[in-house]
Amino acid sequence: MSSEISDILSGFSSAIDLGSETGSRHGSIKLRGVHGGQGRRRIPSQFLESVSSHASLTDQGFTSSLNPWDDIVAPLDLEQEIESQLEAVASEDESIKYLAEFPFDDIQLVDQEREYRTLHPAVPKDEVDLPCHMKCCIRSFTQDYAVVKRNYSMYGAGKTGVEKPADWEKELPKQVYEGDEQESTPDELTPENIPSNARSRGSWASSVIDLKTSQADAVIDSILQFVPQDEVDDSNTKLRAQGRYPKLFSLFNPSPYQDGTENMAPIAGTFEDNEFPIEQLTLPPPPTEHFGHRLLVKCLSLELEMEVEPIYATIALYDTKLKKKISENFHFDLNSESVRKMTKSEGSHSSISSLARTGIFSVTYPSHDIFIVIKLEKVLQQGDVTECAEPYMKDATEKMQDKAKQNAKWFCERLGRYRMPFAWTAIHLMNIVNSAKNLRPMEETTSNAQNADEIARNASSSSLDLQYKNNTFARRCSLSEAELNMLSSFKPVTLTVSSFFKQESERLKDEDLFKFLMDLKRPSNILKRLKCIPGKMKIDVSPCPSNFPYCITPDLHKVKPYPDQRGRPAREVKEFPSHDVKIPNVTYHNLLYIYPQTINLTNRPGHSRNITVKVQLLESEDPASALLAIYGKSNAPEFLSEAYTAVTYHNKSPDFYDEVKLQLPAKLTSRHHLLFSFFHISCQKKQDITPIETPVGYTWVPLLQNGRLNVGDMSLPVAAEKLPSHYSLHTTEFQLAGVKWIDGRRPVFNVSIHTVSSIHMLDRPLEKFFNLLDLLEQHTINGVINMKLPDGSVVNDLEESLRKSMILLAKDGSMKALVKSLYVILSKLVSMLIHPPVIGGQAVNMGQYCFEAIAFIAFRLHQDRDFHTDSHQRNTHLATFSCHLFSIALHDSNVNNNIDNAVGVQKGSHFATMTRSDKRTRPSVSKATFQISSSNPDLSAVISPDEAFATDEDMTVNSSDRSFIRHSATRSSLMEQAVRHSSDSTGVRSVSYKIFHEEVVLLFVVSSGNVKEMALSTSWFLFELISKSMLQHLQQTGLISAPRPQRFPSQYLDDLTRLVKLISMEVANRHNRDYDFAERLNCNLGFFFNDLISIMDRGFVFQLLQIYCQQLNDKMSSLLTTSPSALLTLRTAVLRIVCSHEHYVTLNLPFAKPLPSSPTPSVSSTTSFVSVVLASVPSQYNLNDRFMRQHYLTGLLISDLRLCFDLADQGQPSMDKVILYSLTTIRNLMASHDSDSRINKNPEIKKTVSSLYLPLLSLTIRALPFAHTFSELEKSSTLPVTEDGMINSQLASAIAGPVQNANMANGQSFEMGVESTRNLLICFLWLLKNTECSMLKAWWIAAPPSQMIFMLDLLYITTSCFEFGSKPEASLQRNEQIRTSLNRGHRAKDNKSRLQDAILGESSARREMLMRRRGEKSATIGGAGAKEVLRWRKDKTEWKQVKHGERLRQLAEDSATARNMSAEVSMIVLDTLELIIETATEMGEVGNSISQIISCSLRVLLHIFSKRQSVSVLEHSFAVQRSIVAKFPELLFEEETEQCADLSLRLLEKCTSNIAEIRRQASASLYLLMRHNFSIGNNFACVKMQVTMSMSSLVGVSHDFDEEFLRRSLKTILSYAEIDSELEGTSFPEQVRDLVFNLHMILSDTVKMKEHQEDPEMLIDLMYRIAKGYQTSPDLRLTWLQNMARQHSERKHQAEAGMCLLHCAGLVAEYLSMIEHSDHLPIGCVVLQDISINILEESAVSDDIVSPNTDAVCTEKYFSTAGLTAILEQAVQTFSIAGLHEVVDMIYKVLVPIYHHNRDYKKLANIHGKLQECFTKISSQVCDKTLYSEFCLVKQWKLLECKIL
């Protein structure tokens, strides 16, 4: 009884609400032979109630395991099975053979030619006799790449379908939905044109006139033709298959929202594939040179007041905050040709590289403190800067200018090689960028290097006032993201500099310049004191485009593209980053920058005032040995042998600002040095005979000091005379004999020397390491000691020094230097591990130290957050090395072309890790003392006695600080000691080569302490090196073509097994302590498995995978208080990565044992078909050991998903996230199959592939109780309405009492989230779409009928899940609460509690809001708490901000993809419905199962009609509906009368569609419904009544349908009746005509109701008269009374709505009194006369008017005890809200006997509590008179009913 009341209340609350789903009539299956009236009372309300909701799910082997931690099934011998699979498909199509085995070219190691930026690789000119480390560096800059190429990786999961063709949506069929197109209504007679006497209600003439003037839609001729139903079904199936898009997942768009509404936030903490697909591993970029934000600066013109001499300009970037110059100088010459020739000497030649006028600057760390500084110089003249600048000033006289012109030629000819400072200006970089957004492209701007006031004045004539206004800046260290984007994309700007600051001779230092630059950013009086030189300079600033032509590097190498060798180049300017840039060197650079700063010759006697410094690079002390290594400036040769600084006139202690750039030789000796010569330059014109240069001093700097490049800031003494011989061998600190020093040897010259070199380490640990390697390279050491390093230190033990240097390098080396030489260091360590160095004639085992150094270096890079990492937190530099640069060189003696002999252990081979024999003896060692590798006894770790008896887990957790403690402290292993005695005559050990991957795996396994921790932290790097080494070894030895089981020795496989056990145990033990670490380690292992599958024995890899899964399984089973969700997530992540392999399908052996296939059996052949197929069906659909062994990867995935559901069913927390992750993994795999061209070549392949997932169908049914049902709160005017407009529809559950549920009894409270349910359903749909129909039928035949019923339940939910979103302007549609076997559990319990509070008066809007907030905060992801439905739509409020994700979602709904997705889902549902009906028909009658199946099928079809569908889907839906009605008319008209009513309503709804085709189909279906009903009993009273009631409900509720479209449909039905020749002689056409005219009269009433829509009184009066007219039709009267109640409730007239409900109760009570009389039931409407005497009007329903035994009347489910109770409960709620508490007491007097009879004591307790509240409220009211006398009460109701009726 409680469940019936709940069902009826829910349906009554919606009351056939138009725009909603069929929530009002949840059908029941009437047993044959039972009276119609009795059937309606006895049949349960939910259409699956006859099937046990939870117990039936335990059939067919998908129950919750008693022990979910069963051992993982062992895999098959995959290599042997693949051979069998190949034999099985030997005669099949080539496309099938292609998937039966890996292609021969699946994976290979290819040599990829290195691409250079420059036309030719940048290498030193002479590489002869270079040191070892320099050769290694240069080799790393030029070596080609060795890249592992997986030729079919594009087919892996997560990779296919990611990028779709740009025009792929054009292939999609166009889907038109209702509301998309508006059909124009033809001109027809309007009500005003019809005579007034024909427009009154009940006028037959009115209906006749309107229908005759209406235009009918075109009829469907084939509808009335007799065609066998089998042919009709076949035709429908073929039509449904036409024009369908084959790839379902191409249409699927995962929703990023927690719920199906837009106002929900994205799911946090989930593995959302769009953001982070864990199985995707980004390919690291090849080694590339670093560049920051590149700016293109074009120098266009430079004009001063007069042009009489050359002006030379330089540009550089300065950072004022860090007070650092961040670029080298860019020299350019904008002088005219005539002026340029003034300084040209005969025979001089200018290099084309020096003619560049465009500079490309790079800024790695942009900020608001960067300035572009332009400096001008001129030819040296007599006089200081002020005197020389006077002719250029504004106030210069003509005489001064004429004099300057006369002197210019003389000075240029005599002093043309010397320069002097002249002027400067600066431009704030970010002002250009920020202001460029307001400019048109290439718009000119003006910048004046004047004080702030002058700048403001001059800005009036320019379009942009660049940086010198009176406002200040907010200084920031870094830029915002928007500014950074703008820096790379701002519009080009042409700047015009209108004046320059005159250079002051006493302020030449950079410190002075930084002060001026700071003053430029803020108002200052300092700039006002500076004099300005008028001039005009134009430069163009823009972001540098990629592939800019005619570029040359700072080293003068030409960059691609360089179309024409004669083109003027653009020069890249070397950046000096403000902070360290930790990028490995990938290009040869060897530059030296010299910055002379000051010289003080005050104390030097003699004539020394105009001082310049000449800089030379000498390789000996001979002046002729000066190298052409100094880069020329503008309009000069490419290289010079000397460079001069600018001269400050008459200054004995001048400052310098010059930059001298040198190209260092690759090989430096102790004789290479920099020579600084100081000269006095004579500037007087009268001293023509006087030499121009007079030497005044000398000093030098050796380039190498203690073997290191000598750089830094230096203070040097200056010698007054020429330097003696052999001076270059010493520094200036050495006391040279016969040298006369200036100022008593005090340092009077300051210079700064910096280098930009990729071959000089400049780090002591690195230098020592490579110097030791140089010793090994240059000498054959046989016990020789006292070797010296370049720094003079003595090496006594080279081996020990080398070991220490490796560890010191890895631990203490400078990070900057380490990264700069990273690729060289790693390559050298790998080389030493493979080829042990030979010292003293013996090969020294350095493997353990190399491994430790590699682990340390990788760990340090991993820990440093300055480095870029990928989505898996992999250091990009390490990934680049492993992917592109790592390579092993095979020893020539080990190459054997005979593959057969190469397999296994080779005789005479020199592989240290492969020459071991199992029978070889070694020193006896106690197991309690040592852990010996099963494959390599060379290394053994000393363990303590405690550790000897510890478990594996304890050994994994326990780690000490020791690192690689070995049994022997000597440098050799046990085996090496034994071999050493048998050395050959050369004295060199035979063990000279080791296999890298075998060594690393072994060293990894036996590592301990810190080394083990670091190796685990960077395991991904070691794994990649191992896998690449394995592949390269196979290719070099020829084993790549050997059988996979024979490719690697058994000892190595043992070590791999131990390594996997070690990693698995670490993951299991650390997931609680450090989940992030465990997650990274876990993913690394997954990618390692993925790589190994392509290289080695695949069956062995599956065994490793089983070991891993079993280890985690054992750990999860041991957890007592902790949820296993974390470990399950980790295991699923590994499976997801492994399953993303491109040959995943082949690995699952889809063709090893082909699934039996047969055409769809007919009824006659069912027995034979079942006998052949049925035996194999359970094993295919059930997840048993046989399935898992054959389809191992798929079996592991599905078994883990099943385990998740089992644990969720047992109440384990946090399982929804794991379920979502598992389902997403399976979804991605299916999506990859959809996009895989190999699978799509042949439909049979796709069917075979889908069979890999058949157990998922059973598991989906298993998950049915946990699925999200996509329901929302319903709206109803008959229910209590809260202030937000939402209806408490769950009140039914509270009133009906507790609903028994198996899940609730077990404490079940789990529900899947929306995304989990969506993923599960899309996988379910994909299987239904691609699985062979015969397989599905065979499964259903073998399974209990409940399987098909649950399948229909899933289809029901699927339809709601993938409904296409309605448009915002469309009418509001309600979503019914899905009443299936799932609609029980914690949600019903929660709703009951909330609604019970509402009944007890404990609920309020504020309380609900607070409770909802509290639930949201405490909810877990995907849990029930996160699913509270909001009471208002926040996205509809004005203050709601439109988020980016919501906009994308709305666009997706409107796209062709979303439309086709919804349509395809509906088509799959229709296909499955037809197949289920066909299977049920062939099965025959088994009990009552076929009736249940057909009933459920019809319910799903009605659900499809209730959703927004495309026109094509509706056409096929109507065809399926007509087929069901034609095949099962008795079921519909005799048993499922309520479903007949629902169908009538849906057909009438579609008759009002604005699309003609939908109306045509709906009219045809409605006519055939009448026709089939008439064919049963020569009348269609049932359909007639249901259609009439549906029309009343339709017009009484819906406010937005067009009556003209409905009128057209009615006219079309009349047309069918007129042309139906088969029933022409019967009464059927006349009955149809009468029905249509009656419907039209109701429609006419609707028109009148719409006219009075704004007049509630007139509207209610009209509805009352309509209800009065149906006095003899209880069903129709009840419908209109409900409509009246709804109208009152919408207008907040609760008292009037309650009176309508009491009339409904009186009507039902009269019916019940006629059917049966019971003491607990009212004897009729007379029991309510005390409330209102007018209720006695319902007594007209009596035996003389209505026969209760007629099925055509009183078919509403409200005509039952449960219905009466529900109506009265609703009336109680309504009157309580209205405040009429006295009436509540009167109603409860009728309800209490019924609850007493049902023994519902909980409800009785609630009633008495409610009555207590009512009486308390009545007594609390204070009045002067009696509150309500009997007279007043009767009078009140009289007046009230006058208002109502």
Side-chain angles (χ1 to χ4, degrees), residues 1597-1714:
V1597 176
S1598 180
H1599 305 298
D1600 58 350
F1601 75 94
D1602 195 325
E1603 64 273 7
E1604 296 299 336
F1605 293 139
L1606 182 56
R1607 189 175 290 113
R1608 284 191 186 188
S1609 299
L1610 296 177
K1611 182 64 176 293
T1612 306
I1613 295 174
L1614 282 179
S1615 301
Y1616 280 115
E1618 294 172 357
I1619 64 175
D1620 192 351
S1621 58
E1622 184 178 348
L1623 298 178
E1624 186 176 2
T1626 65
S1627 62
F1628 179 69
E1630 186 64 27
Q1631 294 185 42
V1632 171
R1633 190 175 299 109
D1634 293 343
L1635 174 60
V1636 169
F1637 288 152
N1638 188 27
L1639 296 177
H1640 191 266
M1641 283 191 294
I1642 299 175
L1643 181 61
S1644 301
D1645 292 334
T1646 304
V1647 176
K1648 295 180 181 179
M1649 291 170 58
K1650 285 189 175 182
E1651 294 176 359
H1652 302 290
Q1653 192 67 38
E1654 302 302 326
D1655 188 351
E1657 300 295 336
M1658 291 294 296
L1659 179 62
I1660 293 297
D1661 181 68
L1662 182 60
M1663 296 180 72
Y1664 169 73
R1665 285 190 280 125
I1666 294 174
K1668 192 71 173 177
Y1670 292 122
Q1671 194 75 33
T1672 59
S1673 178
D1675 298 86
L1676 293 175
R1677 178 167 176 80
L1678 182 64
T1679 299
W1680 280 98
L1681 287 174
Q1682 291 175 358
N1683 293 340
M1684 293 173 62
R1686 182 178 295 104
Q1687 291 292 334
H1688 283 303
S1689 182
E1690 289 177 355
R1691 292 169 173 78
K1692 307 298 182 183
H1693 300 159
Q1694 302 298 338
E1696 292 83 344
M1699 287 303 302
C1700 294
L1701 292 174
L1702 288 180
H1703 277 265
C1704 293
L1707 185 63
V1708 173
E1710 285 291 321
Y1711 171 77
L1712 293 178
S1713 65
M1714 290 188 293

Side-chain angles (χ1 to χ4, degrees), residues 3 20 158 307 405 422 704 806 971 981 1028 1034 1044 1074 1158 1172 1260 1323 1325 1353 1518 1578 1626 1682 1702:
S3 61
S20 65
E307 186 181 8
K405 292 178 182 180
F422 183 53
L704 290 180
M806 281 194 294
R971 61 182 171 231
H981 300 288
K1028 188 173 181 180
L1034 293 179
R1044 284 177 178 257
D1074 190 352
S1158 172
V1172 175
T1260 305
C1323 296
L1325 289 170
D1353 205 347
F1518 284 120
N1578 291 329
T1626 65
Q1682 291 175 358
L1702 288 180

Side-chain angles (χ1 to χ4, degrees), residues 1783-1795:
V1783 183
V1784 174
D1785 177 37
M1786 299 178 184
I1787 297 175
Y1788 276 144
K1789 290 179 181 178
V1790 181
L1791 282 173
V1792 168
I1794 299 176
Y1795 287 126

Side-chain angles (χ1 to χ4, degrees), residues 252 1268-1270 1314 1317-1319 1321-1322 1355-1364 1378 1465 1503 1507:
F252 179 71
H1268 182 85
T1269 53
F1270 301 93
V1314 174
T1317 306
R1318 281 172 55 85
N1319 288 333
L1321 293 180
I1322 192 64
L1355 296 178
Y1356 192 97
I1357 299 175
T1358 301
T1359 305
S1360 298
C1361 177
F1362 297 101
E1363 179 189 9
F1364 180 66
I1378 301 177
V1465 168
H1503 190 55
K1507 298 296 182 180

Side-chain angles (χ1 to χ4, degrees), residues 363-429:
V363 181
T364 301
Y365 301 102
S367 70
H368 289 278
D369 304 292
I370 297 178
F371 281 83
I372 301 175
V373 177
I374 304 173
K375 293 183 178 181
L376 302 182
E377 293 179 341
K378 61 189 295 292
V379 176
L380 178 60
Q381 294 184 12
Q382 184 178 3
D384 60 11
V385 178
T386 303
E387 295 175 2
C388 296
E390 285 181 356
Y392 295 91
M393 297 294 184
K394 285 185 177 181
D395 54 355
T397 62
E398 293 183 3
K399 182 178 180 180
M400 296 171 59
Q401 294 180 351
D402 293 340
K403 183 178 178 181
K405 292 178 182 180
Q406 295 174 3
N407 294 333
K409 183 177 180 181
W410 188 88
F411 285 113
C412 287
E413 291 178 354
R414 189 170 188 272
L415 304 177
R417 65 189 307 179
Y418 310 105
R419 300 179 183 179
M420 64 182 299
F422 183 53
W424 67 275
T425 189
I427 305 172
H428 191 233
L429 176 61

Side-chain angles (χ1 to χ4, degrees), residues 926-930 942-950 955 958 962:
S926 172
K927 292 184 178 180
T929 309
F930 297 100
V942 180
I943 61 176
S944 65
D946 295 335
E947 291 173 338
F949 300 98
M955 290 299 297
N958 184 21
R962 67 183 184 275

Side-chain angles (χ1 to χ4, degrees), residues 740-761:
K740 183 180 180 181
W741 299 97
I742 297 176
D743 203 6
R745 198 185 171 85
R746 291 190 181 92
V748 295
F749 175 59
N750 295 324
V751 64
S752 180
I753 303 176
H754 302 287
T755 183
V756 178
S757 177
S758 55
I759 61 174
H760 291 281
M761 305 302 171

